[in-house]
Amino acid sequence: MSGVALRPPRHQADPRAVSWWTAQALILAVPVAGAAVAAYWLFTGHPVWLGVLVGGFAGCCLALAVAGPRASYRVERWEVTDDAVYTRKGWLTHTWRVAPMSRIQTVDTARGPVQRLFGLADVTVTTASAAGPITIEGLDHELAAELAARLTAITQATPGDAT
Amino acid sequence: MSWRRLPRRSLAVSAVLSLGAVVPVDVVVVRVLHERDWTWGTIAAVAAVVAVLIVAGIVAYEVARLRATRWRLTRERLELRSGVVSRQHRSVPRDRVRSVDLRADPVRRAFGLTVVKIGTGGHGDENAELTLDPLTVSEAETLRRVLLSGAPADAFLTEDPVLAGEPSRRDELVSATEAAWGSAPFRKDEAPQGNGLPEGDETSRRSGRHRGNEASLGGGRSRGSAASRGNGPSQEDEASSGHGSSWGGGPAGAMRAVEVVARLRWPWVRYAPLTVWSFAGAALVLGVLYKPLDALGVEVFSAETAALVWGWLTERPWVTIPVVVAGNVAAGVTGALLIFVESWGGYRLEREPGRPGAPEDTGPDARPASRDGRWRVRRGLLTSRSLTLDESRLRGVEIREPLLLRLGGGARVTAVATGLGKAREGETEDVAALTPPLPQAEAVRIAALVAGGRLPAPVPHPAAARRRRVRRALIAAVVPAVALAAMAMWIRNGGAEAWTRGSGLGAWAGGGGLGSWAGTGDVQAWIRDGALEAWVWGAVAAVLLLVLPLALLVAVAGYRGLGHGLGGRHLLARSGAVVRRTVALDRGGIVGWTITQSYVQRRAGLLTVSATTAAGDGHYDVVDVGGDTGLELAARAVPGLLDPFLVRSGPGAGCPPTSRAPSADAAVPSQGPRSF
């Protein structure tokens, strides 16, 4: 039986993306875990079972914030050829996306405040579809700019309104 | 062309329509004043003054709006200046126009006016549409034809063209240069719409009837006589080419017939009640009537009426409940029938041929290779609606079979097109609807005609997809059943009793709310009797006897609904347990792939291939297809796009991918991928 499979795209995000994603996750996870612990400490009579529950919850939050970005880094990959943009995402649900160069409408780079600290940028590629744009996250910002410039050049050379 | 104004008749329309605002206001005025014991004479005077003020206000606004609005069509663009308060100037390139929508409610129809909406693509944003409210029917018709004609830009004169030739000798599809703006010589045609010609003859019919409809709609401006009604097709062709100034000029300029693909057959009305709305009939009626009744001072949803209804229901349930159910269904069915008649009366689906000179073949299943025609849906008994779609903007066609309709053997067809907006408020039909509910075979026939080729037969999906659905149904039914059974056991073992006595969670909840409610003697007695336990066991039985079979049926129906196929031009994707949707998507319209595989799918060897497109929903999914099949399908549907990213193993490895005839604009060169 002949099998067909999608090969993983060639490139990964910049290694700094792991720290960025971790920082981002911690910004969310630390207050949540802290609030849970504080509520337990201040508003309850410290029953042991609740303490275990709250502790477990806080631990899970922090563990996810640390482990999640590492898992994402291993899974998220991207590749740009002369003909197409190809990305892979997702840990439980794998998602591969392909957009042909001839159908790309806009190419954007974006840098959030935290992202800037790490010298990273996202590249967003939009096609005419309402299914949503393709985003390549956590690239070195110079690489991202270069990639966006190249994509724009190729896209502009393609005639038609890409629908 | 110079700037044009909207017709002044629009003032009369808004005067009439403003009466719609006058009536409720006057009703309230009369009620309030009557309660204060004013005399009827004074009340009438006040009501009249109020009515005059409202009408005058609305008409004054309309005057300002008409003064502020100008539009013109140039070689390249359609321009609109509008806005009473903030001035706007909008300009749409003509090659961006994707659909033209004409809509005339009964009042506008009576005045020979129609609202024109010009769709330009884009997803639902305000600027996707340009509205000319209103134009005269003849102006609208000419605009519609010129905008979507695919005529070269220089075929359009920038100045108002002069009337040429005798109007009675004109063909309907005279070129834009000939059609005089505003006074377009639409001939009043004697042939009434739908004069009972056999269906098969439609293709050879000239467009005279088509115009006849316009004339009877618009009336006002039509002039000339129907002297030459007896014209055979050849004569009319001759007539139009004789004028010589058509787009192509010369014989190539001869117009082809408008081809009527489908027209309403009244037996189709039997499909109208096959919607869920038929079961929500009375509720719907109440919902619609609520506001006017409220204004009249009738409180529908008050405690008294509720008590009244409840008392009436409980008094003799075996009589009243069937009566209520039957009344509800009767109201729903009547409503559905009325809506069908209003929406689809006079329905016709037509294809207007494209630019002359392009090869044309009007055989029943051989669609010409050129896709420069227009599709036009016309319908509406009271409010007439016409949607014209540029064929080149069509990306496919969808056959929709909601559960009830499917059980009744019906289906409906919608277009997958770019530049179509969402359904408008107060509109009962999808914008993209091409047909009313009609027999399945008819739906397939029309879909194939619109798609421009035979639709591929759907291939069923692997058994793993069925197992997945059945497992999901079992989980959905068995988990609640087990949870309920566990609860029943807990109650039997005295857990509930102990809990209500205020231990554990009850105390933790602070003794208020639920805890105190459950702690009352009545509830405890109720629990001790075993009445609660009996109820819970009853729920378990209901889940197992009702929900489980239903869920399994839906699962099996969902699996049966799965299918995919690849034709010369189309990718076919079918799915849906409740609403089965069969989409034939033009392979040239696919702008990318999204392939997803969840954890469960990965273990079952399935994946979901989603073709993204600029039209319709934005993506159309082949759900739960076998892994290899799905990837091969995507690779073949758009040759060269996915291939560089596939690895093939086993006996077939190393062979070049099988790619079938590429569609027109999907010819992506498949060079080796260059890494970046």
Side-chain angles (χ1 to χ4, degrees):
Chain A
M1 180 191 133
S2 81
V4 187
L6 283 161
R7 67 170 174 77
R10 286 178 201 277
H11 308 294
Q12 280 179 298
D14 193 280
R16 277 173 289 168
V18 178
S19 339
W20 167 48
W21 286 326
T22 312
Q24 225 178 6
L26 285 177
I27 288 175
L28 191 74
V30 167
V32 170
V37 171
Y40 171 74
W41 201 251
L42 294 175
F43 301 122
T44 68
H46 310 305
V48 175
W49 62 273
L50 199 61
V52 171
L53 215 67
V54 168
F57 172 74
C60 275
C61 278
L62 296 179
L64 264 179
V66 173
R70 276 150 191 82
S72 297
Y73 179 72
R74 289 176 52 173
V75 173
E76 289 195 12
R77 301 183 76 97
W78 63 275
E79 178 172 342
V80 174
T81 70
D82 281 347
D83 304 320
V85 177
Y86 175 42
T87 63
R88 185 183 76 176
K89 271 200 172 76
W91 178 60
L92 273 179
T93 296
H94 294 331
T95 304
W96 295 267
R97 298 194 61 175
V98 183
M101 284 297 176
S102 55
R103 304 309 182 98
I104 291 173
Q105 285 191 324
T106 62
V107 182
D108 305 312
T109 56
R111 303 179 68 190
V114 185
Q115 215 172 353
R116 215 168 301 164
L117 291 179
F118 290 92
L120 296 170
D122 294 344
V123 176
T124 304
V125 173
T126 317
T127 61
S129 163
I134 297 182
T135 306
I136 305 173
E137 278 190 1
L139 298 182
D140 176 80
H141 73 277
E142 274 167 19
L143 178 70
E146 199 185 322
L147 180 63
R150 194 174 90 97
L151 283 171
T152 310
I154 298 177
T155 318
Q156 272 173 353
T158 317
D161 67 350
T163 55
Chain B
M1 195 178 95
S2 55
W3 288 97
R4 305 178 63 87
R5 293 171 168 231
L6 302 181
R8 286 173 184 283
R9 271 176 282 167
S10 177
L11 292 178
V13 172
S14 44
V16 174
L17 289 179
S18 63
L19 294 179
V22 166
V23 171
V25 173
D26 266 357
V27 164
V28 171
V29 165
V30 170
R31 244 187 72 209
V32 170
L33 295 186
H34 184 59
E35 277 168 16
R36 300 197 177 165
D37 296 330
W38 289 38
T39 62
W40 283 112
T42 348
I43 293 177
V46 171
V49 168
V50 167
V52 167
L53 282 179
I54 291 176
V55 172
I58 291 177
V59 169
Y61 176 77
E62 183 72 3
V63 169
R65 192 180 73 84
L66 290 189
R67 279 170 161 274
T69 310
R70 299 273 193 289
W71 66 278
R72 71 170 175 181
L73 187 65
T74 67
R75 282 165 199 272
E76 287 90 23
R77 352 192 102 239
L78 176 66
E79 292 178 80
L80 173 68
R81 288 166 188 261
S82 61
V84 177
V85 183
S86 63
R87 305 276 297 150
Q88 280 186 337
H89 182 180
R90 295 185 53 195
S91 164
V92 173
R94 282 176 61 182
D95 57 5
R96 278 293 187 82
V97 173
R98 281 137 205 229
S99 64
V100 175
D101 183 342
L102 311 183
R103 188 184 152 89
D105 53 42
V107 179
R108 288 198 175 80
R109 252 175 107 168
F111 285 96
L113 299 174
T114 183
V115 177
V116 181
K117 291 201 171 170
I118 292 141
T120 57
H123 289 285
D125 51 352
E126 279 287 304
N127 295 328
E129 260 183 354
L130 199 138
T131 306
L132 293 166
D133 177 13
L135 293 186
T136 65
V137 169
S138 54
E139 272 179 321
E141 190 53 33
T142 315
L143 181 65
R144 180 189 77 83
R145 218 155 42 223
V146 172
L147 278 179
L148 290 175
S149 62
D154 54 334
F156 200 89
L157 285 187
T158 47
E159 285 307 315
D160 278 23
V162 193
L163 253 172
E166 325 112 90
S168 63
R169 291 274 295 161
R170 270 159 198 284
D171 189 274
E172 189 240 2
L173 292 170
V174 288
S175 74
T177 47
E178 287 175 327
W181 283 89
S183 59
F186 290 115
R187 182 176 59 195
K188 189 120 196 160
D189 201 317
E190 293 158 338
Q193 188 188 356
N195 57 355
L197 273 179
E199 292 291 321
D201 203 23
E202 287 304 339
T203 48
S204 65
R205 287 275 296 158
R206 290 290 119 181
S207 39
R209 189 193 312 170
H210 178 124
R211 176 178 51 232
N213 192 37
E214 248 76 71
S216 61
L217 256 175
R221 296 283 184 140
S222 60
R223 65 156 106 152
S225 73
S228 57
R229 185 53 247 165
N231 274 354
S234 56
Q235 256 180 299
E236 284 202 347
D237 280 353
E238 202 188 315
S240 88
S241 58
H243 281 294
S245 48
S246 302
W247 301 316
M255 293 298 155
R256 265 74 49 88
V258 171
E259 175 190 350
V260 179
V261 171
R263 62 169 58 237
L264 183 72
R265 283 185 220 151
W266 283 111
W268 292 347
V269 81
R270 68 182 184 272
Y271 296 115
L274 296 178
T275 67
V276 281
W277 299 113
S278 294
F279 297 96
L284 219 64
V285 171
L286 271 184
V288 171
L289 288 183
Y290 171 70
K291 276 232 161 146
L293 283 178
D294 199 45
L296 285 171
V298 181
E299 282 190 38
V300 185
F301 302 108
S302 68
E304 290 99 85
T305 43
L308 199 77
V309 169
W310 181 248
W312 184 64
L313 274 181
T314 44
E315 216 166 87
R316 268 200 237 126
W318 297 114
V319 184
T320 50
I321 288 177
V323 165
V324 166
V325 169
N328 188 27
V329 169
V333 169
T334 316
L337 290 176
L338 286 178
I339 289 175
F340 181 94
V341 169
E342 206 291 309
S343 306
W344 294 104
Y347 161 73
R348 295 205 295 166
L349 176 65
E350 303 166 339
R351 181 176 184 272
E352 298 174 357
R355 192 170 33 248
E360 176 102 18
D361 177 3
T362 44
D365 33 32
R367 176 63 48 205
S370 71
R371 300 276 289 170
D372 62 351
R374 282 100 69 197
W375 287 91
R376 184 175 195 192
V377 184
R378 321 174 71 192
R379 60 192 185 84
L381 201 64
L382 299 176
T383 298
S384 77
R385 308 157 180 95
S386 148
L387 173 71
T388 312
L389 286 174
D390 192 343
E391 198 166 57
S392 64
R393 302 298 182 183
L394 216 54
R395 293 289 179 270
V397 65
E398 176 177 338
I399 300 174
R400 230 175 260 194
E401 299 163 89
L403 183 64
L404 285 172
L405 193 57
R406 188 165 80 232
L407 294 178
R412 45 197 315 171
V413 183
T414 56
V416 177
T418 56
L420 274 182
K422 295 270 173 274
R424 251 184 292 288
E425 206 170 308
E427 188 55 84
T428 47
E429 297 297 336
D430 195 337
V431 197
L434 291 179
T435 69
L438 40 66
Q440 252 149 22
E442 185 73 4
V444 171
R445 179 187 78 89
I446 293 172
L449 275 174
V450 175
R454 286 175 66 86
L455 301 184
V459 181
H461 286 190
R466 180 170 49 208
R467 280 197 294 277
R468 205 179 154 209
R469 276 164 182 71
V470 169
R471 196 175 305 140
R472 236 180 332 200
L474 286 175
I475 290 171
V478 170
V479 167
V482 168
L484 282 169
M487 190 174 149
M489 293 307 293
W490 177 68
I491 293 166
R492 165 173 297 180
N493 295 334
E497 217 181 326
W499 179 70
T500 54
R501 257 187 247 113
S503 66
L505 206 59
W508 185 68
L514 195 63
S516 68
W517 171 80
T520 57
D522 287 353
V523 175
Q524 288 200 351
W526 188 53
I527 292 170
R528 219 174 297 120
D529 286 350
L532 181 62
E533 195 194 334
W535 274 100
V536 174
W537 282 118
V540 172
V543 166
L544 289 181
L545 293 178
L546 288 173
V547 177
L548 183 62
L550 216 64
L552 286 175
L553 272 179
V554 169
V556 171
Y559 172 71
R560 289 229 181 103
L562 289 180
H564 67 270
L566 194 65
R569 277 195 51 171
H570 295 100
L571 171 72
L572 188 107
R574 195 179 69 179
S575 67
V578 177
V579 179
R580 179 180 294 176
R581 306 170 63 191
T582 311
V583 176
L585 187 65
D586 203 317
R587 287 161 59 182
I590 297 174
V591 302
W593 296 105
T594 301
I595 293 152
T596 52
Q597 194 172 41
S598 69
Y599 176 71
V600 180
Q601 278 181 319
R602 199 149 54 239
R603 291 194 46 185
L606 302 171
L607 44 76
T608 294
V609 176
S610 168
T612 55
T613 173
D617 289 356
H619 63 100
Y620 291 97
D621 304 348
V622 180
V623 182
D624 278 351
V625 66
D628 294 355
T629 327
L631 293 177
E632 287 287 5
L633 178 75
R636 276 165 42 192
V638 184
L641 177 55
L642 204 60
D643 285 320
F645 309 122
L646 291 179
V647 280
R648 290 180 160 79
S649 57
C655 294
T658 49
S659 51
R660 303 225 300 217
S663 52
D665 49 342
V668 182
S670 72
Q671 313 158 353
R674 203 191 76 189
S675 169
F676 187 86

